[in-house]
């Protein structure tokens, strides 16, 4: 199955060398290597130098967007379209220095605070068989990057890349996926995307339904009223009979039950409200669909949004999405694309291995059957299927000497830079 996955992208590489490097790179991402950067992936592949891996990400001639297209089709083919939802979200990559494309001090949920970081906006596909990341965009901050031509050139940012908000990037990816034939009836995202009226309008224009999280201060019109009211105020006026108990999907500890209510706010528009049954905390969603749908369907889509966090966790923890040591714009997109393909491959294996049971059939409470194969377990098993080349003691010492020599060079460069930048005493 791995050969089938790599065969999809083989034609994207003009020469045999980068094609072989891409295959080795993917195998490295699927391996048990501790840090999945070019140095360790090259050592894992039995290479004498990291040069082939570095050239693959920086200089080799291949189109990462074309491979992204293949990845997107691969995910759709293996995960199907049953209950398909597109999810937009972002994740941060903590960095040092200011040379990496798009890096600046900015808020990232990865750290939960403002940090020096890059931020990537991602699109995920979630179906009844699984979920996978299918597109990515590196966010380029407006003031620190858009007008600094020298900085952009040094980081390899293409001239035609201009500032775009995160919702704009999300809209581009959604449109590209739908234009490519991805069959999804719904889009969902958190407040950063739900608060953008242009993104919601673009989805309505395409006839694609959405369930988008919004802030409690969002104003909506109730019963065709002239004066909009805050979402939390509208929720406070609801009678006890307006609330229904529904599960937002299964979590690690079983079904996630909440109280839900919805308020009609216009033609096919609703304000969906979720209430925590223990704390009473409220969450709000603006919803639209081209046809009438029941409350349970809106609840399902709202619950699916959390699966993108599982995608990020698996992408970073299993296939090294955040292990890269590159600064260049092209290199970032190439690494991210290959990491997403590796994750899609694992997800496809998990979907194919999942037991098929008749609808309505449930295991007894004390069933001793094992749980279905997970992405981490499949990656662990692949270590035995694709064992690394046997590395001699001489090769190990070679890599140790090589890496320590380059670390010494980097240390001297940092010391020299700091000494040059220190003011005269």
């Amino acid at each position: 199955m791995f050969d089938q996955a790599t065969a999809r992208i083989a034609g994207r590489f003009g020469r045999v060398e980068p094609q072989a490097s891409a295959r080795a790179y993917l195998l490295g991402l699927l391996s048990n290597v501790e840090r999945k950067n070019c140095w360790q992936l090259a050592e894992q592949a039995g290479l004498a130098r990291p040069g082939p891996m570095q050239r693959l990400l920086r200089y080799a001639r291949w189109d990462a967007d074309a491979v992204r297209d293949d990845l997107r089709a691969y995910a759709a083919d293996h995960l199907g379209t049953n209950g398909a939802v597109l999810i937009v979200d972002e994740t941060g990559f903590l960095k040092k220095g200011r040379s990496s494309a798009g890096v600046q001090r900015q808020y990232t949920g990865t750290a939960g605070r403002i940090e020096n970081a890059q931020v990537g906006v991602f699109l995920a596909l979630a179906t009844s068989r699984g979920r996978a990341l299918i597109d990515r965009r590196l966010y380029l901050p407006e003031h620190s990057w858009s007008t600094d031509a020298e900085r952009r050139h040094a980081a390899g940012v293409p001239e035609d890349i201009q500032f775009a908000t995160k919702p704009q990037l999300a809209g581009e990816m959604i449109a590209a996926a739908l234009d490519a034939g991805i069959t999804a009836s719904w889009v969902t995202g958190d407040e950063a995307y739900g608060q953008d009226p242009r993104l919601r309008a673009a989805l309505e224009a395409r006839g694609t339904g959405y369930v988008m999280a919004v802030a409690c201060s969002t104003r909506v019109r109730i019963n065709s009223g002239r004066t909009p009211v805050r979402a939390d105020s509208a929720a406070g006026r609801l009678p006890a009979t307006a609330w229904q108990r529904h599960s937002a999907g299964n979590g690690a500890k079983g079904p996630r039950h909440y109280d839900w209510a919805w308020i009609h706010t216009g033609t096919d528009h609703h304000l969906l409200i979720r209430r925590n049954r223990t704390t009473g905390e409220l969450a709000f969603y603006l919803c639209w669909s081209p046809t009438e749908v029941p409350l349970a369907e809106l609840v399902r889509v709202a619950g699916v949004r959390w699966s993108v966090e599982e995608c990020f966790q698996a992408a970073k923890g299993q296939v090294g999405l955040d292990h890269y040591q590159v600064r260049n714009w092209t290199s970032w997109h190439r690494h991210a694309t290959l990491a997403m393909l590796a994750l899609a491959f694992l997800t496809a294996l998990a979907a194919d291995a999942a037991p098929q049971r008749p609808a309505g059939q449930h295991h007894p409470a004390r069933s001793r059957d094992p749980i279905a194969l997970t992405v981490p377990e499949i990656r662990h098993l692949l270590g035995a299927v694709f064992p690394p080349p046997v590395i001699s003691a001489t090769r190990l010492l070679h890599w140790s000497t090589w890496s320590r020599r380059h670390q010494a060079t980097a240390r001297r460069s940092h010391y020299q830079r700091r000494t040059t930048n220190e003011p005269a005493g």
Side-chain angles (χ1 to χ4, degrees):
M1 192 169 178
F2 177 77
D3 289 338
Q4 293 176 353
T6 55
R8 278 182 175 257
I9 66 172
R12 303 301 186 181
F13 302 90
R15 301 180 60 184
V16 174
E17 293 85 353
Q19 181 181 335
S21 294
R23 189 180 192 279
Y25 199 94
L26 286 168
L27 284 174
L29 295 178
L30 294 168
S31 73
N32 294 322
V33 173
E34 181 179 0
R35 292 293 297 175
K36 296 176 170 63
N37 54 47
C38 287
W39 286 18
Q40 293 205 13
L41 294 184
E43 183 178 1
Q44 165 78 10
L47 303 176
R49 295 284 190 275
M53 299 302 189
Q54 294 170 337
R55 285 193 296 273
L56 175 71
L57 297 186
R58 182 68 184 273
Y59 300 111
R61 296 184 61 182
W62 61 282
D63 187 347
D65 285 346
V67 175
R68 182 273 322 273
D69 294 345
D70 295 333
L71 151 69
R72 187 169 53 202
Y74 176 84
D77 289 346
H78 286 271
L79 300 183
T81 59
N82 185 27
V85 178
L86 293 174
I87 314 167
V88 291
D89 203 357
E90 64 198 61
T91 189
F93 304 89
L94 303 184
K95 304 292 288 184
K96 296 181 179 179
R98 62 186 305 273
S99 299
S100 299
V103 71
Q104 75 166 20
R105 287 189 59 79
Q106 54 191 318
Y107 177 82
T108 169
T110 303
R113 58 184 182 272
I114 295 176
E115 284 283 358
N116 200 59
Q118 295 171 299
V119 171
V121 181
F122 289 80
L123 182 69
L125 172 67
T127 74
S128 60
R129 284 173 55 82
R131 51 262 182 185
L133 301 173
I134 61 171
D135 205 349
R136 71 287 174 268
R137 297 285 195 281
L138 182 60
Y139 174 66
L140 197 67
E142 182 175 15
H143 299 296
S144 60
W145 280 92
S146 296
T147 58
D148 192 334
E150 182 178 351
R151 193 180 189 194
R152 288 168 57 99
H153 177 74
V157 179
E159 293 183 0
D160 61 337
I161 298 296
Q162 302 300 322
F163 171 74
T165 66
K166 295 170 185 175
Q168 285 176 322
L169 296 176
E172 292 173 3
M173 292 189 292
I174 294 167
L178 296 175
D179 289 343
I182 296 295
T183 304
S185 301
W186 295 99
V187 171
T188 185
D190 66 14
E191 289 183 21
Y193 304 92
Q195 295 286 153
D196 191 291
R198 291 170 295 184
L199 178 57
R200 301 197 308 269
L203 292 173
E204 293 183 25
R206 295 194 67 117
T208 303
Y210 60 78
V211 178
M212 307 292 277
V214 293
C216 63
S217 57
T218 300
R219 293 185 173 272
V220 295
R221 284 185 168 83
I222 308 299
N223 297 325
S224 302
R226 293 184 177 181
T227 304
V229 299
R230 284 174 55 112
D232 51 2
S233 296
R237 301 175 186 176
L238 292 173
T241 55
W243 297 93
Q244 302 179 33
R245 184 184 182 188
H246 287 279
S247 171
N250 291 330
K253 299 181 180 179
R256 296 173 293 150
H257 286 109
Y258 296 92
D259 291 331
W260 299 83
W262 59 342
I263 301 173
H264 182 72
T265 59
T267 305
D268 299 319
H269 290 80
H270 293 87
L271 172 67
L272 177 66
I273 309 164
R274 186 192 74 199
R275 183 175 67 190
N276 188 296
R277 296 175 59 82
T278 302
T279 66
E281 181 183 5
L282 300 178
F284 304 89
Y285 307 82
L286 291 182
C287 310
W288 178 84
S289 63
T291 59
E292 185 175 344
V293 295
L295 172 62
E297 177 66 358
L298 299 183
V299 170
R300 180 188 75 85
V301 178
V304 167
R305 183 176 72 83
W306 293 102
S307 63
V308 72
E309 298 296 339
E310 297 174 352
C311 286
F312 289 146
Q313 182 179 6
K316 293 181 177 182
Q318 300 301 320
V319 296
L321 178 65
D322 61 342
H323 291 189
Y324 61 88
Q325 293 178 332
V326 298
R327 297 175 176 177
N328 184 271
W329 173 274
T330 297
S331 300
W332 185 92
H333 285 86
R334 288 181 172 185
H335 169 80
T337 302
L338 293 174
M340 290 160 51
L341 179 56
L343 179 61
F345 169 70
L346 293 174
T347 304
L349 286 180
D352 290 343
Q356 301 297 318
R357 303 186 182 93
Q361 179 177 327
H362 301 283
H363 277 298
R366 295 186 178 182
S367 171
R368 299 178 67 179
D369 292 343
I371 65 170
L373 282 169
T374 62
V375 164
E377 180 63 16
I378 290 175
R379 190 180 68 84
H380 171 71
L381 294 174
L382 284 176
V385 178
F386 299 113
V390 177
I391 301 177
S392 65
T394 301
R395 179 59 62 87
L396 286 173
L397 290 174
H398 161 81
W399 269 100
S400 175
T401 302
W402 192 93
S403 62
R404 287 184 289 110
R405 181 178 294 122
H406 280 71
Q407 289 168 356
T409 301
R411 181 180 299 173
R412 285 195 300 271
S413 297
H414 287 309
Y415 287 165
Q416 290 173 358
R417 187 179 302 112
R418 292 184 61 180
T419 300
T420 303
N421 294 335
E422 286 181 356

Short mmCIF file of all heavy atoms in Angstrom, two decimals, residues 15-16 18 38 52 71 74 99 102 115 122 154 198 201 216 229-230 284 294-295 304 342 350 370 375 389:
data_model
loop_
_atom_site.label_atom_id
_atom_site.label_comp_id
_atom_site.label_asym_id
_atom_site.label_seq_id
_atom_site.Cartn_x
_atom_site.Cartn_y
_atom_site.Cartn_z
N ARG A 15 13.21 13.85 -12.07
CA ARG A 15 14.40 13.00 -12.11
C ARG A 15 14.28 11.88 -11.08
O ARG A 15 13.49 11.97 -10.12
CB ARG A 15 15.65 13.83 -11.84
CG ARG A 15 15.87 14.96 -12.84
CD ARG A 15 17.12 15.74 -12.52
NE ARG A 15 18.31 14.89 -12.55
CZ ARG A 15 19.53 15.31 -12.24
NH1 ARG A 15 19.71 16.58 -11.86
NH2 ARG A 15 20.56 14.49 -12.29
N VAL A 16 15.08 10.85 -11.27
CA VAL A 16 15.04 9.69 -10.39
C VAL A 16 15.53 10.05 -8.99
O VAL A 16 14.99 9.56 -7.99
CB VAL A 16 15.89 8.54 -10.98
CG1 VAL A 16 15.97 7.38 -9.99
CG2 VAL A 16 15.30 8.08 -12.30
N PRO A 18 15.46 12.92 -6.97
CA PRO A 18 14.50 13.47 -6.01
C PRO A 18 13.34 12.53 -5.73
O PRO A 18 12.79 12.54 -4.63
CB PRO A 18 14.04 14.77 -6.67
CG PRO A 18 14.36 14.63 -8.11
CD PRO A 18 15.58 13.78 -8.17
N CYS A 38 16.20 16.78 8.47
CA CYS A 38 16.98 16.24 7.35
C CYS A 38 18.17 15.41 7.82
O CYS A 38 18.50 14.39 7.20
CB CYS A 38 17.44 17.37 6.43
SG CYS A 38 16.11 18.08 5.42
N PRO A 52 21.05 15.04 0.15
CA PRO A 52 19.90 14.68 -0.68
C PRO A 52 18.55 15.11 -0.08
O PRO A 52 17.66 15.55 -0.81
CB PRO A 52 20.00 13.16 -0.78
CG PRO A 52 21.46 12.87 -0.62
CD PRO A 52 21.94 13.88 0.37
N LEU A 71 -2.23 14.24 -2.83
CA LEU A 71 -2.57 13.90 -1.45
C LEU A 71 -4.06 14.07 -1.20
O LEU A 71 -4.71 13.21 -0.58
CB LEU A 71 -1.76 14.79 -0.51
CG LEU A 71 -2.36 15.13 0.86
CD1 LEU A 71 -2.40 13.90 1.75
CD2 LEU A 71 -1.58 16.25 1.53
N TYR A 74 -5.90 11.30 -2.81
CA TYR A 74 -5.63 10.05 -2.09
C TYR A 74 -6.50 9.97 -0.83
O TYR A 74 -7.10 8.93 -0.54
CB TYR A 74 -4.15 10.00 -1.73
CG TYR A 74 -3.75 8.80 -0.89
CD1 TYR A 74 -3.47 7.58 -1.49
CD2 TYR A 74 -3.65 8.91 0.49
CE1 TYR A 74 -3.09 6.48 -0.72
CE2 TYR A 74 -3.27 7.82 1.26
CZ TYR A 74 -3.00 6.61 0.65
OH TYR A 74 -2.63 5.53 1.42
N SER A 99 14.57 34.79 10.76
CA SER A 99 14.84 34.52 9.35
C SER A 99 13.85 33.57 8.70
O SER A 99 13.68 33.59 7.48
CB SER A 99 16.26 33.95 9.19
OG SER A 99 17.23 34.86 9.65
N GLY A 102 7.75 34.02 7.45
CA GLY A 102 6.52 34.25 8.19
C GLY A 102 6.66 34.30 9.69
O GLY A 102 5.65 34.46 10.40
N GLU A 115 4.22 34.14 21.18
CA GLU A 115 5.57 33.58 21.09
C GLU A 115 6.14 33.89 19.71
O GLU A 115 5.40 34.23 18.78
CB GLU A 115 5.55 32.06 21.30
CG GLU A 115 5.36 31.62 22.75
CD GLU A 115 6.63 31.77 23.58
OE1 GLU A 115 7.68 32.18 23.01
OE2 GLU A 115 6.57 31.49 24.80
N PHE A 122 -4.49 25.28 7.98
CA PHE A 122 -4.66 23.97 7.39
C PHE A 122 -6.13 23.67 7.11
O PHE A 122 -7.03 24.23 7.76
CB PHE A 122 -4.10 22.89 8.32
CG PHE A 122 -2.60 22.87 8.42
CD1 PHE A 122 -1.94 23.78 9.23
CD2 PHE A 122 -1.85 21.96 7.69
CE1 PHE A 122 -0.56 23.78 9.33
CE2 PHE A 122 -0.46 21.95 7.78
CZ PHE A 122 0.18 22.85 8.60
N ALA A 154 15.20 36.92 1.13
CA ALA A 154 16.08 36.02 1.87
C ALA A 154 15.37 34.75 2.29
O ALA A 154 15.98 33.67 2.36
CB ALA A 154 16.64 36.73 3.10
N ARG A 198 -17.14 37.54 5.22
CA ARG A 198 -16.84 37.26 3.82
C ARG A 198 -16.66 35.77 3.58
O ARG A 198 -17.06 35.25 2.53
CB ARG A 198 -15.59 38.03 3.39
CG ARG A 198 -15.79 39.54 3.32
CD ARG A 198 -14.49 40.28 3.14
NE ARG A 198 -13.63 40.10 4.32
CZ ARG A 198 -12.45 40.69 4.48
NH1 ARG A 198 -11.99 41.49 3.52
NH2 ARG A 198 -11.74 40.51 5.56
N ALA A 201 -20.13 34.29 3.61
CA ALA A 201 -20.86 34.64 2.38
C ALA A 201 -20.36 33.83 1.20
O ALA A 201 -21.14 33.40 0.34
CB ALA A 201 -20.70 36.14 2.11
N CYS A 216 -19.43 35.13 22.02
CA CYS A 216 -20.70 35.37 22.70
C CYS A 216 -21.25 36.76 22.42
O CYS A 216 -22.44 37.01 22.56
CB CYS A 216 -20.55 35.15 24.19
SG CYS A 216 -19.39 36.30 24.99
N VAL A 229 -29.34 41.43 18.68
CA VAL A 229 -29.04 41.20 20.09
C VAL A 229 -27.81 40.30 20.19
O VAL A 229 -27.50 39.55 19.26
CB VAL A 229 -30.23 40.54 20.82
CG1 VAL A 229 -31.45 41.43 20.75
CG2 VAL A 229 -30.55 39.17 20.21
N ARG A 230 -27.12 40.40 21.31
CA ARG A 230 -25.96 39.56 21.53
C ARG A 230 -26.38 38.09 21.62
O ARG A 230 -27.48 37.77 22.11
CB ARG A 230 -25.24 39.97 22.81
CG ARG A 230 -24.42 41.24 22.70
CD ARG A 230 -23.88 41.64 24.06
NE ARG A 230 -23.11 40.57 24.70
CZ ARG A 230 -21.80 40.60 24.92
NH1 ARG A 230 -21.10 41.67 24.53
NH2 ARG A 230 -21.19 39.60 25.52
N PHE A 284 -21.13 29.23 21.01
CA PHE A 284 -22.08 29.70 20.01
C PHE A 284 -21.56 29.43 18.60
O PHE A 284 -20.36 29.50 18.34
CB PHE A 284 -22.33 31.20 20.19
CG PHE A 284 -22.82 31.56 21.56
CD1 PHE A 284 -21.92 31.87 22.58
CD2 PHE A 284 -24.17 31.58 21.84
CE1 PHE A 284 -22.37 32.18 23.85
CE2 PHE A 284 -24.64 31.90 23.11
CZ PHE A 284 -23.73 32.20 24.12
N PRO A 294 -32.06 18.88 10.47
CA PRO A 294 -32.45 18.81 11.89
C PRO A 294 -31.34 19.32 12.80
O PRO A 294 -30.18 19.44 12.39
CB PRO A 294 -32.68 17.30 12.09
CG PRO A 294 -31.80 16.64 11.09
CD PRO A 294 -31.79 17.55 9.89
N LEU A 295 -31.70 19.58 14.03
CA LEU A 295 -30.72 20.05 15.02
C LEU A 295 -29.59 19.04 15.18
O LEU A 295 -28.41 19.44 15.30
CB LEU A 295 -31.42 20.27 16.36
CG LEU A 295 -30.53 20.57 17.58
CD1 LEU A 295 -29.75 21.86 17.37
CD2 LEU A 295 -31.35 20.63 18.86
N VAL A 304 -17.61 17.60 14.95
CA VAL A 304 -16.53 17.16 14.08
C VAL A 304 -15.34 18.12 14.12
O VAL A 304 -14.20 17.72 13.91
CB VAL A 304 -17.05 17.00 12.63
CG1 VAL A 304 -15.90 16.86 11.63
CG2 VAL A 304 -17.97 15.79 12.53
N ALA A 342 2.26 11.44 4.62
CA ALA A 342 2.58 10.33 5.52
C ALA A 342 1.43 10.07 6.49
O ALA A 342 1.06 8.92 6.76
CB ALA A 342 3.87 10.63 6.28
N ALA A 350 -5.45 2.74 8.85
CA ALA A 350 -6.34 2.58 10.00
C ALA A 350 -7.78 2.39 9.55
O ALA A 350 -8.52 1.57 10.11
CB ALA A 350 -6.21 3.79 10.93
N PRO A 370 -9.83 -6.34 21.14
CA PRO A 370 -8.97 -5.14 21.19
C PRO A 370 -9.62 -3.98 20.47
O PRO A 370 -10.52 -4.16 19.63
CB PRO A 370 -7.70 -5.61 20.46
CG PRO A 370 -8.17 -6.69 19.53
CD PRO A 370 -9.29 -7.39 20.27
N VAL A 375 -3.53 5.18 14.58
CA VAL A 375 -2.41 5.71 13.79
C VAL A 375 -1.07 5.49 14.51
O VAL A 375 -0.11 5.02 13.89
CB VAL A 375 -2.64 7.20 13.47
CG1 VAL A 375 -1.35 7.87 13.00
CG2 VAL A 375 -3.71 7.33 12.39
N PRO A 389 18.09 0.56 7.41
CA PRO A 389 19.31 -0.15 7.02
C PRO A 389 20.21 -0.39 8.23
O PRO A 389 20.23 0.40 9.18
CB PRO A 389 19.98 0.81 6.03
CG PRO A 389 18.89 1.73 5.58
CD PRO A 389 17.95 1.85 6.72
#
